[in-house]
């Protein structure tokens, strides 16, 4: 039934190796291979394994319940478990010590949960081993950031100048209006127009 299918998907086991599935390591260094899993209905007697290039087993562990940490079944001597399943995340990450160029390849984190009718899921990391780390040239990025920042600054300056000019124009126009009103009043008085002293009637003759 469709409803039961959706419910099954909601409880499905999921395994993740993070936002990116590529890792670069320096030759003769130690590298972290991250892996976490989620399940909505919990787990019991869960089994997890790490494989190199799909078939070579390098770590095998079991987890009884959420209240217990994983127990080791078998591991490659160069592989170290660094995760924890009693905390918030079900972390089953490992560290590969003394990385060599021959270690480059695919590392698959595989999980099987008997509580979900033996549901299984996995995720893969691609490891690249290099002689030395290459520094990223950020010159182009810095130039772009500088240009964008300069354009924004010019735009802000333009807006400020525009506001100042408009303010000055408005003040000038208001001043002219005041002058016109004042000048008009003075002319009326001097020319004997309505409201001026020249219009005052002469006293009646006796």
């Amino acid at each position: 039934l469709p409803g039961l299918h959706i419910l099954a998907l909601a409880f499905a086991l999921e395994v993740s190796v993070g936002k990116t599935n590529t890792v670069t390591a320096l030759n003769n260094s130690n590298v972290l291979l991250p892996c976490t899993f989620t399940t909505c209905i919990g787990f019991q007697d869960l089994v997890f394994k790490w494989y190199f290039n799909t078939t070579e087993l390098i770590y095998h562990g079991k987890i009884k319940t959420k209240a217990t940490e994983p127990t080791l079944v078998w591991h490659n001597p160069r592989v170290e478990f660094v995760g924890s399943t009693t905390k918030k995340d079900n972390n089953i990450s490992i560290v590969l010590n003394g990385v060599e160029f021959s270690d480059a390849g695919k590392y698959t984190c595989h999980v099987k949960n008997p509580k979900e009718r033996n549901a299984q899921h996995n995720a893969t990391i691609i490891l690249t081993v290099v002689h030395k780390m290459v520094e990223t040239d950020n010159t182009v990025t810095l130039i772009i950031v500088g240009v964008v920042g300069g354009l924004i600054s010019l735009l802000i300056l333009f807006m400020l100048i525009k506001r100042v000019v408009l303010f000055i124009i408005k003040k000038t126009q208001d001043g002219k209006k005041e002058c016109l009103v004042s000048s008009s009043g003075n002319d009326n008085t001097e020319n004997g127009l309505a409201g001026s002293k020249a219009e005052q009637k002469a006293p009646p003759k006796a």
Side-chain angles (χ1 to χ4, degrees), residues 159-171:
M159 296 299 294
L160 289 174
I161 293 174
K162 182 179 178 182
R163 292 189 65 179
V164 171
V165 171
L166 291 175
F167 177 77
I168 293 173
I169 292 173
K170 186 176 184 300
K171 283 294 184 182

Side-chain angles (χ1 to χ4, degrees), residues 11 29 31 44 52 55-56 64 81 112 132 149 163 185:
F11 292 135
S29 68
V31 61
Q44 187 172 3
F52 173 56
T55 58
E56 184 181 342
K64 185 68 177 176
F81 180 78
K112 178 181 178 182
K132 65 177 181 179
R163 292 189 65 179

Side-chain angles (χ1 to χ4, degrees), residues 20-178:
T20 176
N21 67 337
T22 59
V23 175
T24 301
L26 188 64
N27 184 44
N28 202 34
S29 68
N30 301 333
V31 61
L32 172 69
L33 301 176
C35 183
T36 59
F37 69 88
T38 57
T39 172
C40 295
I41 63 174
F43 58 87
Q44 187 172 3
D45 296 323
L46 182 139
V47 177
F48 68 96
K49 298 178 181 180
W50 278 90
Y51 291 96
F52 173 56
N53 286 339
T54 309
T55 58
E56 184 181 342
L57 181 66
I58 61 173
Y59 195 94
H60 181 188
K62 288 185 176 182
I63 314 171
K64 185 68 177 176
T65 64
K66 179 67 177 176
T68 60
E69 291 289 359
T71 57
L72 172 66
V73 177
W74 183 89
H75 75 116
N76 183 299
R78 294 171 52 216
V79 176
E80 178 185 358
F81 180 78
V82 293
S84 175
T85 53
T86 58
K87 298 178 181 179
K88 183 179 179 180
D89 296 324
N90 294 317
N91 189 337
I92 49 176
S93 304
I94 59 173
V95 168
L96 180 60
N97 296 311
V99 173
E100 302 172 355
F101 289 108
S102 59
D103 293 323
K106 296 180 180 180
Y107 289 81
T108 302
C109 177
H110 181 271
V111 178
K112 178 181 178 182
N113 186 15
K115 193 171 183 179
E116 292 184 81
R117 295 185 178 181
N118 289 320
Q120 301 182 53
H121 197 250
N122 60 66
T124 299
I125 298 175
I126 299 174
L127 174 65
T128 302
V129 182
V130 296
H131 178 65
K132 65 177 181 179
M133 292 295 186
V134 178
E135 294 184 3
T136 304
D137 187 0
N138 293 323
T139 304
V140 176
T141 302
L142 291 175
I143 291 173
I144 294 173
V145 171
V147 171
V148 172
L151 290 174
I152 293 174
S153 299
L154 287 174
L155 181 60
I156 294 174
L157 180 62
F158 173 77
M159 296 299 294
L160 289 174
I161 293 174
K162 182 179 178 182
R163 292 189 65 179
V164 171
V165 171
L166 291 175
F167 177 77
I168 293 173
I169 292 173
K170 186 176 184 300
K171 283 294 184 182
T172 303
Q173 290 176 345
D174 290 345
K176 287 181 179 180
K177 288 180 181 178
E178 291 178 0

Side-chain angles (χ1 to χ4, degrees), residues 14 25 34 36 51 70-71 118 182 197 199 201:
E14 290 187 5
T36 59
Y51 291 96
T71 57
N118 289 320
S182 176
K197 293 180 180 179
E199 280 192 345
K201 293 183 180 180

